[in-house]
Amino acid sequence: EFKLRISQVEATVGLIDDGNTIPFIARYRKEVTGSLDDETLRNLDERLKYLRNLEQRKEEVKALIEAQGKLTPEIEEALQNAQILTEVEDIYRPFKPKRETRGSLARKRGLEPLATLLMEQRDSYEKDIEVLAADYIVDNEDKKLAVKTAEDAINGAKDIIAEDISDNADFRKAIRALTHAHGTIVSKQAKD
């Protein structure tokens, strides 16, 4: 990244790990670092801290997912290939303990199969979607778990779909790239 010799990087990392400050290294250890300037040393120090933090977070996320019994070779490979902290957090997002959401409540109501049907987007439905949704109407003593109308069932299924899309690391990465490439920031003065 910095177009330095490996020996320069190793020597500088050794000095940093020994507790030397960047100004001290820049001024008194030029012979060890190969005369790296103050700016390069600072950039190298920042990148070193970031990469170490990234590796530590990868291990933490791996352990947290493994503790849930949900670690797969694909997830492990994705964690290993993650280059930035945001990617690691996106991978962890579906496994992170959450507060109750509309999507999780809809799952408790038993609407996940309806969400799956909606996601399949088949043209060859034998029944209208309203009729399919009517099969999920449930009167429950717990008012939170009741599904009163077909519209409630469809809205719950949509909540599940929205949560699943939001938790997908690949979608989040694509949306972030799209926003970065084509997004604009607009600000306006607030009215009194």
Side-chain angles (χ1 to χ4, degrees):
E1 288 181 37
F2 297 102
K3 300 193 179 9
L4 302 172
R5 294 186 313 273
I6 292 175
S7 60
Q8 285 179 295
V9 174
E10 288 175 344
T12 304
V13 168
L15 289 169
I16 292 170
D17 287 345
D18 288 343
N20 296 295
T21 64
I22 297 303
F24 177 83
I25 295 169
R27 178 174 260 175
Y28 300 111
R29 295 294 181 253
K30 290 182 186 243
E31 73 287 351
V32 177
T33 65
S35 297
L36 293 179
D37 61 51
D38 189 49
E39 182 180 349
T40 303
L41 289 169
R42 286 191 192 287
N43 291 337
L44 182 65
D45 182 45
E46 285 177 23
R47 187 66 176 149
L48 176 66
K49 287 175 183 169
Y50 181 85
L51 290 174
R52 285 181 171 167
N53 188 28
L54 176 65
E55 288 305 313
Q56 179 183 351
R57 186 63 182 150
K58 283 181 182 183
E59 290 303 315
E60 290 169 358
V61 167
K62 181 180 172 184
L64 289 167
I65 296 172
E66 194 170 32
Q68 295 177 20
K70 296 179 181 178
L71 185 65
T72 64
E74 293 81 19
I75 294 171
E76 197 167 357
E77 182 179 348
L79 280 171
Q80 191 174 16
N81 293 333
Q83 298 294 313
I84 58 174
L85 281 169
T86 305
E87 289 177 7
V88 174
E89 295 306 323
D90 285 348
I91 293 166
Y92 180 50
R93 185 179 170 105
F95 306 99
K96 188 183 274 189
K98 301 175 188 143
R99 58 178 173 76
E100 187 170 75
T101 64
R102 291 183 350 200
S104 64
L105 185 58
R107 286 183 211 287
K108 288 180 185 176
R109 291 176 174 162
L111 298 174
E112 198 158 10
L114 181 60
T116 302
L117 284 172
L118 289 175
M119 280 298 290
E120 288 175 357
Q121 298 182 7
R122 287 191 242 151
D123 292 332
S124 61
Y125 281 125
E126 293 177 18
K127 301 177 184 177
D128 183 298
I129 196 66
E130 295 279 335
V131 175
L132 285 169
D135 292 341
Y136 293 89
I137 295 175
V138 175
D139 190 21
N140 195 310
E141 291 177 16
D142 184 351
K143 299 291 181 198
K144 287 175 72 175
L145 298 179
V147 180
K148 295 179 181 175
T149 65
E151 186 179 347
D152 286 345
I154 292 170
N155 288 335
K158 287 178 181 179
D159 290 336
I160 292 170
I161 292 168
E163 190 172 277
D164 288 349
I165 289 171
S166 176
D167 284 346
N168 185 302
D170 293 332
F171 292 158
R172 293 176 70 78
K173 185 175 182 179
I175 291 167
R176 199 175 290 112
L178 185 67
T179 303
H180 181 73
H182 302 289
T184 57
I185 298 174
V186 178
S187 66
K188 294 181 182 178
Q189 183 176 354
K191 295 179 182 177
D192 290 336

